Amino acid sequence: NAGVTQTPKFQVLKTGQSMTLQCAQDMNHEYMSWYRQDPGMGLRLIHYSVGAGITDQGEVPNGYNVSRSTTEDFPLRLLSAAPSQTSVYFCASSYSNRGDTIYFGEGSWLTVV
Amino acid sequence: AQSVTQPDIHITVSEGASLELRCNYSYGATPYLFWYVQSPGQGLQLLLKYFSGDTLVQGIKGFEAEFKRSQSSFNLRKPSVHWSDAAEYFCASRGAGSYQLTFGKGTKLSVIP
């Protein structure tokens, strides 16, 4: 049981480049989400999904795109990277919204230069 | 809207001393409450969670937390801190029926040998 798997763990991008952060979970969780973590800001929700084909915006969605074609995968796309998107990104999943624990991936460290 | 406040940005304690990290939440009803720990360069590990019932919750690594409805607080405690407890600690809340976690900004714990 791998839990929540994120790739890559580290990435350096040039301004304007695009990339996709991958997230996969093998726990058959309906809910998946992406957070970004910045110093002194805690974690802030970017996008989330409550099931295949259903996504919605969180607190800081600008500059990011998501899709959910399967229950297992929830990729996060940066369309045109900006230095302000330098951050640590965490993918998370949970079975339901009935108080289940939310499980986090190991994080992806992204630097935009 | 939910909010989580961790009043202390940085706390330093001596090894063997007791620890209390403060967390206050703002939510109309009783939310689900969590404490996560993050070591440098690592992901988030769940320490404990409160859903309902007994207001004193036991977690991993010798941590406990007490839910106090009258004070809207969920403070984390440990009777004797170890050097390995040095990390950043995040309190988070989740409203009943909600998939989303709202995080505090974190408290960094330093431990003096």
Side-chain angles (χ1 to χ4, degrees):
Chain A
N1 187 345
V4 180
T5 304
Q6 290 182 233
T7 56
K9 182 145 188 175
F10 300 99
Q11 182 72 49
V12 178
L13 281 180
K14 294 183 179 178
T15 298
Q17 284 185 319
S18 64
M19 78 156 298
T20 299
L21 298 176
Q22 301 291 344
C23 176
Q25 52 87 13
D26 61 358
M27 298 175 281
N28 199 33
H29 286 173
E30 288 297 318
Y31 172 70
M32 297 185 73
S33 57
W34 279 101
Y35 291 83
R36 60 176 288 171
Q37 181 182 29
D38 302 293
M41 299 295 292
L43 281 80
R44 294 178 292 168
L45 183 65
I46 304 172
H47 284 285
Y48 65 97
S49 168
V50 299
I54 307 169
T55 64
D56 205 346
Q57 297 181 351
E59 182 184 354
V60 288
N62 292 340
Y64 306 96
N65 231 355
V66 292
S67 60
R68 183 97 178 268
S69 56
T70 67
T71 299
E72 293 78 21
D73 301 297
F74 190 46
L76 179 72
R77 297 182 186 85
L78 282 71
L79 307 174
S80 177
S84 61
Q85 293 178 303
T86 294
S87 188
V88 184
Y89 292 85
F90 288 96
C91 181
S93 74
S94 70
Y95 182 68
S96 75
N97 65 349
R98 290 188 295 273
D100 299 284
T101 298
I102 295 182
Y103 295 88
F104 285 84
E106 292 289 309
S108 296
W109 275 253
L110 176 66
T111 301
V112 182
V113 299
Chain B
Q2 290 184 65
S3 67
V4 176
T5 302
Q6 294 180 247
D8 304 304
I9 296 173
H10 191 185
I11 286 181
T12 300
V13 300
S14 297
E15 191 169 17
S18 63
L19 171 70
E20 182 169 31
L21 301 182
R22 296 183 291 164
C23 173
N24 293 97
Y25 67 90
S26 172
Y27 185 64
T30 299
Y32 304 124
L33 296 163
F34 305 83
W35 275 99
Y36 286 89
V37 61
Q38 184 182 34
S39 297
Q42 301 297 313
L44 293 161
Q45 181 180 24
L46 179 68
L47 286 175
L48 48 78
K49 59 188 178 185
Y50 172 77
F51 290 164
S52 65
D54 193 347
T55 57
L56 186 63
V57 180
Q58 301 296 321
I60 62 171
K61 304 186 178 185
F63 286 93
E64 67 178 26
E66 185 171 13
F67 169 67
K68 292 185 177 180
R69 185 191 307 274
S70 61
Q71 298 177 19
S72 297
S73 69
F74 188 56
N75 294 348
L76 182 71
R77 300 194 295 245
K78 187 170 185 178
S80 178
V81 170
H82 188 263
W83 64 265
S84 61
D85 292 325
E88 191 157 19
Y89 292 79
F90 293 94
C91 182
S93 73
R94 187 183 198 187
S98 170
Y99 287 92
Q100 304 175 42
L101 272 179
T102 299
F103 282 87
K105 294 186 178 181
T107 298
K108 184 176 180 181
L109 174 65
S110 297
V111 180
I112 301 172

